[in-house]
């Protein structure tokens, strides 16, 4: 299969790379799994090119592989990301969106046999190591004539590693809000490094990013983390903000850390990306592995984030309590506010699982209160039919309506997130005022279980998922990659940082899952025809753009070295 594997080098390597290519040309592709030297072998009498000379930096607007990436995904590639993008294009529209590797800027690093090949636990495994060319498709449903699209490097142990066990020195940090499963991930990182790779130097960074330069590093052993998965929260502590890239990397360098495991949401992963960039600029042999965490399940690309299953399960308790309260009173209303700043996944899945919910409100689907087809009319109808009603609302829903009645300053927290007004409390008062105006007796109970859900230990499903994420992160870091790890279409993969930070996963109200919810609750969609048409037009526009780019790509032949 003819393919082009292009690694875009640093700015300072640009002139040398261009000169070298002009002199000798660009040859064979870089070996896919970095098990061998990542530069092209030259023929007799020719000096071997430096690694930077086998790479070509080409404008992101003219380079066909970057266009292919934009064809195959809805991601917008920023200019500052283009310098770190690694793409391999193959037949039938195949595009590998690869992750950075130590040999991208340190080409002469020695490799070592993976200790797992002598591990008794793996002695019965049919295949110790993943194949070098194994990839995971971003889109699993395709049509007969569809291009193969974007793929990611498959996670798992590699035959060769770039850190000797006794020389490896790892650190772990948790940032942002709490989430079920944080302690499980910490435990499995410590135990996995120790038990699988014989790494004895593992440290915990306390209280988030600022702990790199403001706290002592906490030594961690399998014994010290043995039962932490039974507790909620994080034993390392967490915080928002505090990200000073230079100070963080200074401390990583001074302490001799060569593997950094960062657990946090999209803002935290952006910080991990900046740390990687600074590490690369300094030429340090340090791998950065991000493990995405968000209870809202709004991380792009991945199937789901850890803690989500636990959150949905625990949300059932709050919904059940609201249902009991509502059904036990005349004209009883139970109102439950669940997490979901920008994405309503918890509210949607908890509603579908409960079957006791009459109405679910999420940020992606606008709603209105008064008039025909509005929320008040629907509540009135359900009370007359059932004598009670249960409403679930995501915390980010209805913020535009609240802003119309409660002017508020545009404030942000330390992570840069907009501070939201309490939609549950606001909606409670609005419903009370409506019923009072109708001279309708009613009882409303408002339940906000947000911090209860965030603080509990993870359930069995999430514990298993956390273990797999931690092990995949360890395998990738030992193999020299820097990445965010996640499950894509049921397979664990290494995903470039910019892919999980450039967009946000949201509920698509034009998809069947939202239609299933509307069918289950029998609630109105609250969407005007204008809203529906706008959502459909947005989908059509994205498809038209993709089709045009596909046609342009098919009409432009691409040589093995990426040139037209």
């Amino acid at each position: 299969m003819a393919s082009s594997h292009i690694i875009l080098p640093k700015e300072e390597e640009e002139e040398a790379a261009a000169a070298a290519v002009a002199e000798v040309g660009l040859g064979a592709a870089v070996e896919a799994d970095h098990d061998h030297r990542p530069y092209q072998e030259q023929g007799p009498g020719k000096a071997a090119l430096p690694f930077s000379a086998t790479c070509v930096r080409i404008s992101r607007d003219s380079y066909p592989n970057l266009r292919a990436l934009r064809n195959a995904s809805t991601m917008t590639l920023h200019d500052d990301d283009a310098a770190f993008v690694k793409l391999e294009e193959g037949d039938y529209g195949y595009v590998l969106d690869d992750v950075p590797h130590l040999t991208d800027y340190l080409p002469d690093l020695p490799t070592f046999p993976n200790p797992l090949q002598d591990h008794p636990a793996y002695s019965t495994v049919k295949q110790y190591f993943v194949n070098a060319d194994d990839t995971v498709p971003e889109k699993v449903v395709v049509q007969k004539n569809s291009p193969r699209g974007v793929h990611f490097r498959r996670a798992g142990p590699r035959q060769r590693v770039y850190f000797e066990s006794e020389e490896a020195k790892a650190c772990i940090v948790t940032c942002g809000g709490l989430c079920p499963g944080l302690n499980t991930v910490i435990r499995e990182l410590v135990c996995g490094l120790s038990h699988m790779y014989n790494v004895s130097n593992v440290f915990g960074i306390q209280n988030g990013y600022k702990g790199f330069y403001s706290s002592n590093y906490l030594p961690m052993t399998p014994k010290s983390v043995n039962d932490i998965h039974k507790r909620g929260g994080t034993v390392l502590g967490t915080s928002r903000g505090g990200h000073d890239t230079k100070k963080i990397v200074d401390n990583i360098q001074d302490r001799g850390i060569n593997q950094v495991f960062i657990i946090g949401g999209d803002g935290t992963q952006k910080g991990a990306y900046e740390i990687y960039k600074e590490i690369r600029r300094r030429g340090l042999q340090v791998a950065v592995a991000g493990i995405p965490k968000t209870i809202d399940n709004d991380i792009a690309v991945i199937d789901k984030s850890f803690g989500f299953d636990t959150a949905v399960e625990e949300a059932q308790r709050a919904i059940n309590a609201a249902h009991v309260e509502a059904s036990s009173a005349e004209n009883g209303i139970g109102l439950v506010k669940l997490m979901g700043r920008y994405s309503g996944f918890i509210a949607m899945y908890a509603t579908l699982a409960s079957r006791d919910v009459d109405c679910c409100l999420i940020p992606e689907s606008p709603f209105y209160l008064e008039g025909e087809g509005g929320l008040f009319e629907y509540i009135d109808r359900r009370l007359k039919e059932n004598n009670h009603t249960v409403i679930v609302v995501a915390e980010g829903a209805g913020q535009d309506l609240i802003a119309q009645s409660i002017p508020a300053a545009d404030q942000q927290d330390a992570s840069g997130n907009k501070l939201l007004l309490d939609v549950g409390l606001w909606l409670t008062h609005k419903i009370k005022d409506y019923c009072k105006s109708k001279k309708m007796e009613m009882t409303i109970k408002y339940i906000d279980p947000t911090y209860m859900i965030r603080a509990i230990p993870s359930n069995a499903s999430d514990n298993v998922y956390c273990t797999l994420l931690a092990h995949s992160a360890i395998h990738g870091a030992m193999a020299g990659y820097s990445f965010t790890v996640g499950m894509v279409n049921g397979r664990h993969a290494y995903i470039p940082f910019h892919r999980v930070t450039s967009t946000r996963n949201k509920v698509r109200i034009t998809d069947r899952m939202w239609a299933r919810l509307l069918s289950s609750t029998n609630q109105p969609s609250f969407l005007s025809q204008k809203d529906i048409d706008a959502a459909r037009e947005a989908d059509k526009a994205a498809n038209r753009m993709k089709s045009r780019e596909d046609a342009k790509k098919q009409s432009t032949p691409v040589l093995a070295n990426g040139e037209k």
Side-chain angles (χ1 to χ4, degrees):
M1 178 180 72
S3 66
S4 58
H5 191 166
I6 306 300
I7 304 173
L8 304 181
K10 298 179 294 183
E11 291 284 355
E12 56 265 33
E13 295 173 341
E14 182 178 356
E15 294 182 4
V21 171
E23 182 177 350
V24 300
L26 186 65
V30 179
E31 203 280 331
D33 201 33
H34 303 281
D35 285 340
H36 305 289
R37 289 288 180 263
Y39 52 80
Q40 180 190 351
E41 295 292 339
Q42 302 299 309
K46 293 184 179 179
L49 290 174
F51 176 68
S52 60
T54 68
C55 306
V56 182
R57 183 179 178 86
I58 303 176
S59 166
R60 66 186 287 271
D61 291 323
S62 63
Y63 187 55
N65 284 49
L66 293 181
R67 288 204 306 271
L69 177 62
R70 292 199 296 270
N71 291 350
S73 74
T74 57
M75 181 200 69
T76 301
L77 190 67
H78 300 293
D79 288 323
D80 57 345
D81 293 328
F84 299 94
V85 169
K86 294 171 60 177
L87 298 170
E88 180 178 350
E89 186 178 6
D91 294 337
Y92 313 112
Y94 172 94
V95 177
L96 171 62
D97 194 0
D98 208 353
V99 292
H101 191 267
L102 289 173
T103 53
D104 294 352
Y105 58 96
L106 298 171
D108 298 319
L109 290 177
T111 62
F112 312 95
N114 193 320
L116 285 178
Q117 67 187 21
D118 301 317
H119 198 291
Y122 282 75
S123 60
T124 59
V125 176
K126 183 178 180 181
Q127 183 179 354
Y128 286 161
F129 310 113
V130 299
N131 292 322
D133 293 331
D134 284 356
T135 59
V136 178
E138 182 178 18
K139 300 295 183 184
V140 72
V141 178
V142 296
Q143 296 175 338
K144 182 173 63 175
N145 297 321
S146 298
R148 291 177 63 191
V150 172
H151 287 58
F152 301 109
R153 186 167 292 280
R154 182 186 175 191
R158 265 58 185 173
Q159 191 168 5
R160 309 289 294 182
V161 296
Y162 283 77
F163 300 96
E164 288 189 281
S165 298
E166 57 271 17
E167 299 296 327
K169 199 172 184 180
C171 70
I172 305 167
V173 65
T174 55
C175 305
L178 296 183
C179 177
L182 283 170
N183 280 335
T184 306
V185 175
I186 295 169
R187 180 190 189 277
E188 296 308 320
L189 285 173
V190 175
C191 293
L193 284 164
S194 177
H195 296 156
M196 292 191 297
Y197 287 96
N198 305 316
V199 176
S200 58
N201 294 313
V202 184
F203 300 90
I205 308 301
Q206 301 179 75
N207 302 318
Y209 275 133
K210 65 182 181 181
F212 276 98
Y213 52 85
S214 65
S215 302
N216 291 326
Y217 287 20
L218 180 68
M220 307 187 80
T221 65
K223 184 177 181 179
S224 70
V225 299
N226 182 54
D227 62 352
I228 63 173
H229 63 290
K230 299 176 183 178
R231 293 178 251 160
T234 165
V235 295
L236 295 178
T238 185
S239 66
R240 298 186 183 275
H243 187 278
D244 188 318
T245 305
K246 186 178 183 302
K247 286 183 179 181
I248 291 171
V249 179
D250 283 345
N251 277 268
I252 290 172
Q253 187 172 4
D254 292 344
R255 293 175 183 265
I257 300 294
N258 49 34
Q259 293 181 21
V260 183
F261 296 94
I262 301 175
I263 310 168
D266 57 346
T268 300
Q269 299 306 311
K270 289 177 183 177
Y273 193 19
E274 294 304 314
I275 291 171
Y276 164 74
K277 291 177 183 177
E278 181 63 22
I279 284 171
R280 178 164 173 164
R281 278 190 285 267
R282 299 188 189 189
L284 305 179
Q285 186 182 348
V286 180
V288 180
I291 302 175
K293 174 241 33 157
T294 169
I295 204 168
D296 293 349
N297 198 38
D298 61 357
I299 296 289
V301 180
I302 65 175
D303 294 350
K304 65 177 179 179
S305 52
F306 73 83
F308 177 69
D309 284 350
T310 305
V312 171
E313 184 176 302
E314 187 67 14
Q316 300 301 295
R317 299 177 186 272
I319 293 174
N320 184 58
H323 181 255
V324 170
E325 289 283 354
S327 60
S328 299
E330 182 181 1
N331 285 338
I333 300 174
L335 178 61
V336 181
K337 185 181 78 172
L338 297 175
M339 291 76 67
R341 177 179 292 273
Y342 303 108
S343 305
F345 286 102
I346 291 180
M348 179 174 73
Y349 276 83
T351 294
L352 283 168
S354 170
R355 307 295 181 182
D356 287 331
V357 178
D358 297 293
C359 184
C360 177
L361 306 172
I362 61 173
E364 296 89 339
S365 182
F367 67 94
Y368 57 98
L369 301 178
E370 300 175 345
E372 184 178 354
L375 179 61
F376 289 159
E377 181 186 78
Y378 177 65
I379 291 173
D380 198 351
R381 185 169 76 248
R382 294 302 289 172
L383 289 176
K384 290 177 181 177
E385 292 172 353
N386 293 340
N387 197 41
H388 72 275
T389 187
V390 177
I391 302 170
V392 168
V393 58
E395 62 180 326
Q399 292 296 312
D400 55 336
L401 294 178
I402 306 175
Q404 293 173 13
S405 56
I406 305 177
D410 195 14
Q411 299 178 351
Q412 295 181 333
D413 63 19
S415 296
N417 298 315
K418 182 180 179 180
L419 292 177
L420 301 178
L421 297 170
D422 191 335
V423 64
L425 192 60
W426 173 81
L427 198 54
T428 298
H429 289 301
K430 286 293 184 180
I431 293 173
K432 284 182 177 179
D433 291 342
Y434 170 76
C435 291
K436 186 177 180 180
S437 69
K438 293 289 185 179
K439 297 181 180 180
M440 181 192 306
E441 292 292 331
M442 70 90 187
T443 300
I444 187 168
K445 301 296 183 184
Y446 172 41
I447 300 175
D448 180 0
T450 299
Y451 295 105
M452 293 175 62
I453 293 176
R454 294 189 344 159
I456 65 172
S458 53
N459 63 12
S461 173
D462 272 324
N463 271 335
V464 174
Y465 187 31
C466 289
T467 300
L468 298 178
L469 287 173
H471 286 191
S472 294
I474 292 168
H475 295 318
M478 290 296 297
Y481 294 106
S482 290
F483 55 87
T484 293
V485 67
M487 188 165 65
V488 180
N489 296 318
R491 293 285 184 175
H492 288 255
Y494 299 139
I495 307 164
F497 288 114
H498 64 85
R499 289 301 307 272
V500 299
T501 59
S502 58
T503 58
R504 179 176 281 112
N505 189 28
K506 291 188 175 185
V507 174
R508 295 185 62 181
I509 60 174
T510 56
D511 278 359
R512 280 190 290 272
M513 186 59 80
W514 184 244
R516 292 183 184 110
L517 181 140
L518 296 179
S519 176
S520 174
T521 61
N522 286 319
Q523 71 184 70
S525 69
F526 300 114
L527 296 175
S528 65
Q529 190 60 43
K530 181 179 179 182
D531 295 325
I532 296 172
D533 292 341
R536 287 176 177 168
E537 278 302 314
D539 287 343
K540 288 179 182 178
N543 291 333
R544 283 196 298 268
M545 182 177 297
K546 187 173 180 180
S547 298
R548 285 197 298 269
E549 292 291 345
D550 285 343
K552 189 185 301 182
K553 176 188 168 191
Q554 291 170 3
S555 64
T556 306
V558 181
L559 303 179
N561 64 355
E563 297 176 349
K564 295 180 182 177

